């Protein structure tokens, strides 16, 4: 379920980044951040699954993914994510 929610968002990230964020440098930065997040999050993944049910963990992962995608879509620049 998580992969089904995450795959379309990742697939749409490149065209969105190229048109809105201004090119390859911004898209490369975001893709690198996704890779680092995966590497840092992989060891931490089993902990929530042990504390709650797998269904709750999957729903929480999907909710966080949607929230991050919404934030990324509303950010005017990758280089200034908190600009007014």
């Amino acid at each position: 379920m998580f992969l089904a929610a995450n795959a379309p968002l990742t697939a749409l990230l490149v065209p969105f980044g190229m048109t809105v964020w201004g090119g390859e440098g911004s898209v490369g930065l975001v893709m690198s951040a996704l890779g680092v997040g995966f590497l840092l999050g992989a060891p931490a993944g089993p902990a929530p699954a042990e504390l709650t049910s797998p269904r709750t963990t999957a729903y929480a992962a999907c909710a966080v993914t949607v929230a991050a995608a919404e934030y990324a879509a509303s950010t005017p620049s990758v280089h200034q994510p908190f600009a007014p």
Side-chain angles (χ1 to χ4, degrees), residues 6-84:
N6 192 31
L9 295 175
T10 303
L12 294 173
L13 182 65
V14 173
F16 179 80
M18 292 297 285
T19 57
V20 176
W21 291 333
E24 298 133 2
S26 298
V27 174
L29 179 68
V30 171
M31 293 303 230
S32 297
L34 285 171
V36 169
F38 174 77
L39 291 174
L40 294 177
E50 292 174 1
L51 296 175
T52 62
S53 70
R55 178 178 289 174
T56 304
T57 303
Y59 286 153
C62 287
V64 169
T65 300
V66 169
E70 178 64 31
Y71 176 73
S74 65
T75 301
S77 172
V78 175
H79 302 290
Q80 297 176 339
F82 300 108

